[in-house]
Amino acid sequence: MHLSRFLLWRIAALSLAILLLALLLARWQAQRNIRHEALGAAQVARMLDHLGGLEAGPAADIPAHLAALRTIIRSGQLRHLRLRLSDQDGTLLLASPNPAASPWSSVYHWLLPLNTAPAQAPTRWTLQREDGPRYQVELALDPASEQRESLVGMLGLVGLLLGYSAAILLAVYGTLHLALRPLQAILAAIGGYQRDRYQARLAPMRIVELDAIGKALNHMAQSLQDAQRARAEMNRRMWQLQEDERRRLAGELHDELGQQLTAMRADATWLARCSEDRPELQHVARQVAGQCAQMQQGVRGLLQRLRPHGSPRVAGEPFPLRQRLQELLQSWRERPSQHTDYQLRIELAQAPCEDVALAIYRLTQEALTNIARHAQAASARIEVITESDGRVRWSVRDDGIGIADLASALHRGSGLAGMRERVLALHGQWQLHAGSPGDIQSGLWLQAHLPLQVSETSAFIAAGADS
């Protein structure tokens, strides 16, 4: 159903229901007014009957007639009339309340003034009994009762209109809320897409326009998910090639340059022994031997960075992550002019696969390099912990100067961007924050959530990569 038609039918149906309710309320109010008019007319008839009893009835019934008239006056049902009754001496026997004494009289006159109505003199007559007593009767119009009824009717009409308007607004709000409720799922899916999570799919919707949006978002999410998987697999292959190239370079450095430096150092040592009678030649030979030793030490450090595996391992043997990270931190601690305090915490319930372990090592290597170059930090803490869901949480925190613009930092250079791509390639989650979690401080906080095992490449991605 189209959104316009859905809203039209829903609002029309609710408006009709509200109108019927308003008509029922108006009918109830009309019945109430008719009942009050009937009661008022009945009280007037009773009043005239008792006044007739005062004039022509037995003398013994006079107190009863006076009591009945007082009851009628106190009931407030004597509509539009005020009664005053006096005896022949002018003594007031009973009288209706003065409307001017009511606290609401000023309100009635302000809202509904009577300056347009002509003044009406009260009607007076005498009740002459045959046995002698006379009574003076005075009936006057009571505009206050009519004002009160008109005001109540007006306020009721205003209240009815306000209620009808409020009910219409609530009906429209409810209809829009019901019609646009699928937008919550759409917004939730878009929020996930903004965080590079493309697994969410939207279910079919009743509204044609929203269903079209949902289908478009599902198609976009599927395309982005396929592209993300392809990019992750391409990055994995690229980093695998990089690791293979590092191993090859490390092997060539060890086999070629290492052997040559060893031979040169041996030759220089032999030359120094053979030139004891020529001090200047012996000095040069010893300098060459020392330079060869320094070059060998530099080559060892380069080999350690290129090949963190160390010596060849048995096939299937897990990557010694704890040992390699400890060696990496120790190498940074032993560097000259180093003032950063490095702390390492490793709590792994299960060793991750080689790809994940090597990624953690490379992430730590890059993070420590950035801290040494840019952070000016006094301390840095590295954590590798197994989470409750079985994943590995890697984090590095420092108390350095931090990064002013995180968004531009991910596009400037290849350090942080490469770390992020490496995490995403392993189907992990990447977080980057300025300051420590939960407070506003200087420094940088890097965190990644990685799986213990990396799934094999799908046939589709493998076929695309091979082609």
Side-chain angles (χ1 to χ4, degrees), residues 79-285:
R79 299 165 63 85
H80 316 316
L81 292 175
R82 287 187 292 118
L83 173 65
R84 289 176 59 88
L85 182 64
S86 305
D87 60 10
Q88 59 187 3
D89 298 328
T91 303
L92 183 64
L93 300 177
L94 53 90
S96 299
N98 186 3
S102 173
W104 295 100
S105 60
S106 58
V107 178
Y108 297 152
H109 287 290
W110 179 71
L111 290 175
L112 298 172
L114 297 177
N115 53 0
T116 58
Q120 297 290 333
T123 301
R124 300 182 179 87
W125 74 90
T126 302
L127 301 178
Q128 179 64 54
R129 292 183 56 84
E130 295 181 355
D131 53 4
R134 296 192 306 272
Y135 297 95
Q136 297 294 328
V137 180
E138 179 180 315
L139 281 179
L141 292 178
D142 184 10
S145 62
E146 190 62 33
Q147 287 176 314
R148 182 170 57 252
E149 292 180 4
S150 299
L151 181 60
V152 170
M154 183 177 66
L155 293 179
L157 180 60
V158 172
L160 185 62
L161 292 176
L162 290 177
Y164 183 78
S165 302
I168 287 292
L169 290 178
L170 290 176
V172 172
Y173 173 79
T175 302
L176 290 175
H177 181 74
L178 180 62
L180 301 180
R181 183 185 300 172
L183 284 178
Q184 298 178 358
I186 293 177
L187 294 176
I190 292 175
Y193 301 158
Q194 291 176 340
R195 296 188 296 273
D196 297 330
R197 300 175 184 175
Y198 306 113
Q199 297 81 8
R201 296 293 182 271
L202 295 170
M205 303 178 188
R206 294 177 54 191
I207 307 301
V208 174
E209 292 83 356
L210 297 182
D211 187 64
I213 294 175
K215 290 179 180 178
L217 288 175
N218 288 340
H219 179 73
M220 181 192 70
Q222 186 63 46
S223 300
L224 291 175
Q225 188 176 28
D226 294 340
Q228 186 185 54
R229 289 174 179 173
R231 185 185 67 178
E233 185 58 29
M234 182 183 65
N235 289 335
R236 285 184 59 192
R237 289 176 178 270
M238 180 185 67
W239 284 313
Q240 185 63 43
L241 292 175
Q242 289 179 354
E243 293 298 331
D244 294 341
E245 184 66 15
R246 287 191 179 103
R247 293 189 185 98
R248 187 185 65 80
L249 291 175
E252 291 182 359
L253 286 175
H254 180 270
D255 297 337
E256 300 293 335
L257 186 59
Q259 293 179 6
Q260 292 178 9
L261 288 175
T262 301
M264 290 176 61
R265 185 177 181 184
D267 292 342
T269 302
W270 176 82
L271 184 59
R273 287 198 305 266
C274 294
S275 58
E276 293 180 355
D277 54 343
R278 300 179 62 180
E280 68 280 1
L281 182 59
Q282 187 181 42
H283 177 69
V284 173

Side-chain angles (χ1 to χ4, degrees), residues 304-321:
Q304 179 64 28
R305 291 193 296 273
L306 289 174
R307 187 177 61 186
H309 302 70
S311 57
R313 297 180 291 116
V314 179
E317 180 183 354
F319 181 84
L321 181 60

Side-chain angles (χ1 to χ4, degrees), residues 410-453:
L410 288 173
H411 297 87
R412 184 176 63 247
S414 59
L416 293 175
M419 297 170 71
R420 178 177 179 272
E421 290 297 326
R422 186 183 290 272
V423 171
L424 295 179
L426 296 174
H427 308 291
Q429 296 178 4
W430 168 260
Q431 294 178 349
L432 173 63
H433 300 286
S436 301
D439 56 14
I440 303 176
Q441 298 178 357
S442 61
L444 197 65
W445 175 47
L446 308 176
Q447 184 168 272
H449 301 270
L450 298 167
L452 284 174
Q453 302 294 329

Side-chain angles (χ1 to χ4, degrees), residues 24-36:
L24 292 176
L25 290 176
R27 180 175 178 271
W28 173 80
Q29 182 66 31
Q31 289 178 339
R32 182 172 177 271
N33 293 337
I34 292 173
R35 184 169 57 253
H36 286 175

